[in-house]
Amino acid sequence: MIFQVYNRDLCVGNMKIGSISSSSILLVGDTETIQLASIFDTPPESLIIGPFVPLSRQG
Amino acid sequence: MYQKRTSIVNHLSVNVILILSTLEIGDSAHIYGVTRALAVQREREFFFGNEGDFSGYGIFNRPILLEPVTEAITYEAEAISPFIKVNNITINAISTSSVAHIGNTKSVNMEARIKHIRQLEPRER
């Protein structure tokens, strides 16, 4: 695949951003490769209803 | 060849930068960031200080599989206008190994692993 790009004017007026968090990126510029990966889970057993039990101590 | 344009930002305002985050104004080559978080939400404010152990949960060492790029790509860019212009950027917060980057870079490789845990008070039935 030949990917040819003709970059003409790129002008943005305003950017209002709440927050950039957990390994995210705001890029105003050129780059070659971007690889972002995220994994999260909230399985049923992670909802604990009952007396507070501290999580397992630091290993 | 990858042409490099110049980023022009007239006004940039950032309120908070915390937990290993970066505000980069200028060029960089490689950006690498990893987040490992135990997001615990408790119904009552209760802290033990040294709790939480990443090895206890599979999510923190499970490989994240990404499709390899097999397509042969030739990339040619023609910079007719060598500028990227943004008038005004307002950012409230940059947090947990994130980056706000004004300028060019070569490669960005970031990963986030978050385990959510909810602890609620016992409910009277």
Side-chain angles (χ1 to χ4, degrees), chain A residues 3 5 12 22-23 26 30 35, chain B residues 5 35 74 78 85 96 108:
Chain A
F3 181 53
V5 178
V12 178
S22 65
S23 292
L26 165 74
D30 287 315
Q35 177 179 312
Chain B
R5 290 176 292 178
T35 302
T74 58
E78 178 76 31
K85 293 179 197 141
T96 53
V108 178

Side-chain angles (χ1 to χ4, degrees), chain B residues 42-99:
Chain B
R42 282 194 178 122
E43 208 164 0
R44 217 162 12 93
E45 281 209 19
F46 216 69
F47 302 104
F48 294 98
N50 64 347
E51 65 182 308
D53 176 9
F54 286 134
S55 57
Y57 305 97
I59 185 174
F60 295 110
N61 34 43
R62 191 179 310 157
I64 299 180
L65 307 174
L66 288 161
E67 285 303 313
V69 176
T70 53
E71 175 101 24
I73 302 171
T74 58
Y75 173 85
E76 291 145 22
E78 178 76 31
I80 293 156
S81 153
F83 297 114
I84 298 171
K85 293 179 197 141
V86 181
N87 179 32
N88 177 22
I89 300 180
T90 314
I91 300 172
N92 181 30
I94 311 170
S95 165
T96 53
S97 82
S98 295
V99 178

Side-chain angles (χ1 to χ4, degrees), chain A residues 1-43 46-50 52-59, chain B residues 2-3 5 7 35 40 48 50-53 64 66 71-78 80-81 84-90 92-99 101 103-116 118-120:
Chain A
M1 178 170 79
I2 297 172
F3 181 53
Q4 216 157 20
V5 178
Y6 293 94
N7 286 316
R8 296 184 186 281
D9 284 340
L10 173 55
C11 309
V12 178
N14 290 311
M15 289 170 90
K16 274 208 173 44
I17 292 151
S19 73
I20 306 166
S21 78
S22 65
S23 292
S24 309
I25 184 164
L26 165 74
L27 177 64
V28 178
D30 287 315
T31 183
E32 286 171 26
T33 61
I34 291 183
Q35 177 179 312
L36 303 177
S38 102
I39 177 171
F40 71 92
D41 78 341
T42 321
S46 77
L47 172 64
I48 302 154
I49 299 177
F52 289 144
V53 171
L55 304 179
S56 51
R57 286 283 180 279
Q58 211 74 40
Chain B
Y2 289 101
Q3 38 81 33
R5 290 176 292 178
S7 309
T35 302
V40 182
F48 294 98
N50 64 347
E51 65 182 308
D53 176 9
I64 299 180
L66 288 161
E71 175 101 24
I73 302 171
T74 58
Y75 173 85
E76 291 145 22
E78 178 76 31
I80 293 156
S81 153
I84 298 171
K85 293 179 197 141
V86 181
N87 179 32
N88 177 22
I89 300 180
T90 314
N92 181 30
I94 311 170
S95 165
T96 53
S97 82
S98 295
V99 178
H101 194 287
N104 301 316
T105 184
K106 190 167 183 299
S107 86
V108 178
N109 184 349
M110 302 179 98
E111 182 188 297
R113 295 170 181 262
I114 298 165
K115 168 79 177 174
H116 291 275
R118 307 283 183 269
Q119 291 187 339
L120 307 180

